[in-house]
Amino acid sequence: MGVELHTIHSEIYSEAAQFLAQFPNEKRSVGFWRARFDLWWDENAAFSEEYDRGWILRNRDHIVGFMGNIPLEIQFNHSPKKVFSSTTWRVLPEYRKHSMKLMFKFMGNAEDTVLFNTTPNREVRAVLRAFKFELIPAYSRSVTVITINSPRAYQEKLQRLPRFLRPCLAPFQAFTKVLDIDLPRPELQVRSIEHAGEDFDQLWVKTKSVYANTNIRNSRWINWYCNQDNAFQKKLYGCYREEELAGFCITWNPKGNEIRCLDIWSHPEDRLAISALVTKMIQEAQECRATRLFIPHFSRSLEQHLIEKDFGEIRPRERNDFFKMAKSLDWTSDRDSSYFTTAQGDVGL
Amino acid sequence: MTTVMTNDEEKILSFLITNFQLEASQVDVTTPLFDSGVLDSMGFVELVDFIEREYSVTFSDDELQPEGFGSVSEICKRIASHSG
């Protein structure tokens, strides 16, 4: 009996979590992976039993390969559409010649929908290119990087240098300082949110027609995306104009010292909301002593605000987010009809 | 019985044997490339790239499936359908 492909069912969660936790170079625990399965499928409102959770390769009694398939719902041409993101493609080295079986299965979803892969490594990128995946349309390819804590950033750089060089360069740390910028005093109030309520649904209903293609940002999605276990340390902030929600943003801190803005949403012309949310992200980064804060230029108004305020260095954004649209879908994307942030595919899931 | 190979089949077989260090006895035009473990993911990438450049074709994703891309003979049928 050779290597066989099977669909993932909940009965094999423990075995699959064990496989992923013991995969070469993997540091995350069985519990981490087990929690991912609940999140990707059982707690995911976009999932139903008609969709495959993913696939495994099995050789006799052992799992030797894995690929997850996360159903997601986006707004596509102004209507909700079920799409799929592949995640966690792992095949033991001695079985790599069977790895394409998993990818072919994922590509079987491609007929009439959109496929995402937003966390590929170099090899997976090559495979995605062969299948004609493209980068997700983005307003801009730039990111503003705000160095919050220069002494700590300097210290981290020093640690990456050869040991003999460190004592020579260490004294220069005295010339670095913690960011002390004059933040604009926000006219709107921004606060941390534990659970998105009805006001988030109301904001979504009011603003969803602005873009034809974007994430569905109702409270159900936000709560699912943000309020998971602490594995990715995501935070949700709501921006209020006289107690009415005007916008929100989601940040995460995957490395523990660098905060990244995953998503920011308001009416695009509501510059006060954008300004208040950006200010809040900077304040939070300062308070938690982060080294840097990354805010990608997701929209024209966000980009204009970041350039105007000159908070930090503008760099080209490292893009790793791929998608593939079925030919049967009638879709043209331009900078103004689509709004895709970092919260696509399996980023932060 | 000796199978007569087309030029395209010969060219692709020769690419596989040379690039993936296979013995000529390990692969023929009907060998399942993915089920028999001839190609891993990077092998797949190299093969698609080679054929698309060599024949100036672009495969769609429904062609890049084991049913249509699973053996040298099937690949050659795909190539012929592009030039036909």
Side-chain angles (χ1 to χ4, degrees):
Chain A
M1 201 164 72
V3 175
E4 291 180 342
L5 184 90
H6 296 271
T7 304
I8 296 172
H9 293 286
S10 53
E11 295 77 37
I12 65 138
Y13 280 179
S14 299
E15 190 190 357
Q18 197 93 28
F19 167 75
L20 293 174
Q22 288 172 356
F23 199 80
N25 300 322
E26 176 60 62
K27 292 184 177 70
R28 291 163 294 189
S29 66
V30 174
F32 170 88
W33 289 109
R34 184 64 189 75
R36 304 273 74 66
F37 300 162
D38 286 338
L39 181 78
W40 295 344
W41 305 311
D42 303 66
E43 294 164 8
N44 177 1
F47 174 75
S48 80
E49 290 294 338
E50 68 184 288
Y51 305 120
D52 287 353
R53 290 171 167 85
W55 309 274
I56 52 163
L57 295 172
R58 199 181 267 291
N59 187 24
R60 296 200 182 94
D61 293 338
H62 300 288
I63 295 178
V64 298
F66 178 99
M67 181 187 273
N69 179 45
I70 310 177
L72 300 163
E73 199 170 46
I74 63 167
Q75 174 165 285
F76 176 81
N77 280 343
H78 289 291
S79 298
K81 177 140 197 81
K82 210 58 74 89
V83 301
F84 299 93
S85 175
S86 62
T87 188
T88 321
W89 186 9
R90 306 273 193 278
V91 179
L92 290 174
E94 57 271 39
Y95 296 96
R96 290 272 156 86
K97 292 201 166 172
H98 297 273
S99 57
M100 284 306 294
K101 291 176 184 171
L102 295 165
M103 190 63 187
F104 285 132
K105 259 324 237 189
F106 176 63
M107 292 306 298
N109 287 326
E111 206 175 312
D112 61 351
T113 189
V114 188
L115 302 182
F116 288 95
N117 188 313
T118 50
T119 50
N121 61 21
R122 198 162 54 90
E123 289 184 6
V124 177
R125 272 200 297 274
V127 176
L128 296 175
R129 297 263 187 219
F131 278 109
K132 320 295 181 299
F133 275 68
E134 298 169 61
L135 285 172
I136 296 174
Y139 172 75
S140 155
R141 303 233 161 139
S142 302
V143 57
T144 288
V145 183
I146 306 170
T147 302
I148 304 286
N149 189 333
S150 292
R152 189 170 167 188
Y154 193 82
Q155 193 63 38
E156 284 170 7
K157 271 187 197 156
L158 276 184
Q159 295 306 315
R160 290 197 290 270
L161 291 173
R163 199 174 281 270
F164 71 93
L165 273 177
R166 291 179 205 166
C168 317
L169 295 169
F172 292 100
Q173 190 175 339
F175 296 101
T176 62
K177 58 178 185 171
V178 174
L179 180 75
D180 181 20
I181 50 174
D182 193 17
L183 286 170
R185 192 184 168 83
E187 295 182 38
L188 309 184
Q189 197 202 359
V190 180
R191 51 180 184 259
S192 178
I193 305 288
E194 289 299 316
H195 185 84
E198 268 178 29
D199 48 350
F200 282 77
D201 291 320
Q202 285 157 9
L203 175 68
W204 171 242
V205 169
K206 271 197 291 191
T207 50
K208 67 180 183 181
S209 59
V210 173
Y211 297 102
N213 312 300
T214 191
N215 286 23
I216 293 179
R217 291 173 173 82
N218 55 21
S219 61
R220 195 177 66 178
W221 176 78
I222 295 167
N223 288 325
W224 173 73
Y225 192 70
C226 297
N227 296 344
Q228 37 178 294
D229 55 53
N230 250 345
F232 292 110
Q233 299 197 38
K234 286 185 207 155
K235 286 194 172 169
L236 169 67
Y237 299 99
C239 171
Y240 294 85
R241 176 180 282 112
E242 292 166 3
E243 287 309 303
E244 187 185 341
L245 185 71
F248 66 88
C249 66
I250 302 170
T251 63
W252 73 328
N253 189 357
K255 294 180 182 168
N257 59 350
E258 290 184 346
I259 294 185
R260 289 168 190 267
C261 173
L262 278 176
D263 196 33
I264 184 164
W265 182 257
S266 68
H267 192 285
E269 297 310 317
D270 193 343
R271 286 161 194 272
L272 289 180
I274 290 167
S275 166
L277 288 164
V278 168
T279 299
K280 183 68 175 178
M281 284 189 273
I282 297 173
Q283 286 168 340
E284 285 294 311
Q286 287 173 318
E287 274 170 33
C288 74
R289 300 170 60 83
T291 312
R292 292 183 197 86
L293 168 66
F294 293 76
I295 310 179
H297 299 186
F298 294 135
S299 67
R300 190 190 311 272
S301 40
L302 178 60
E303 180 162 77
Q304 278 172 356
H305 178 71
L306 292 166
I307 290 172
E308 242 167 58
K309 296 293 174 189
D310 192 22
F311 288 127
E313 184 192 345
I314 296 175
R315 290 189 201 162
R317 186 173 152 202
E318 284 170 31
R319 299 286 309 279
N320 215 7
D321 48 336
F322 290 83
F323 87 125
K324 180 171 179 57
M325 178 84 53
K327 265 200 225 140
S328 58
L329 297 175
D330 179 24
W331 188 66
T332 46
S333 172
D334 57 56
R335 289 169 109 195
D336 293 319
S337 67
S338 296
Y339 181 78
F340 290 112
T341 58
T342 314
Q344 265 75 52
D346 66 338
V347 174
L349 294 179
Chain B
M1 195 176 82
T2 317
T3 316
V4 180
M5 282 193 284
T6 64
N7 284 346
D8 291 344
E9 287 172 340
E10 247 178 82
K11 198 189 279 183
I12 294 169
L13 264 184
S14 149
F15 173 83
L16 290 173
I17 290 165
T18 314
N19 284 271
F20 304 116
Q21 283 124 38
L22 301 169
E23 297 291 330
S25 58
Q26 281 178 276
V27 58
D28 63 31
V29 292
T30 59
T31 305
L33 298 176
F34 302 104
D35 283 339
S36 64
V38 172
L39 289 181
D40 62 9
S41 55
M42 292 321 289
F44 167 79
V45 170
E46 286 176 43
L47 180 63
V48 173
D49 183 54
F50 167 73
I51 297 169
E52 290 192 335
R53 276 191 293 107
E54 190 71 20
Y55 294 94
S56 304
V57 294
T58 304
F59 292 115
S60 64
D61 45 66
D62 30 306
E63 291 176 300
L64 295 175
Q65 284 290 320
E67 301 80 44
F69 212 78
S71 68
V72 171
S73 128
E74 283 161 356
I75 292 169
C76 290
K77 283 183 201 153
R78 291 281 167 203
I79 296 169
S81 73
H82 275 262
S83 54

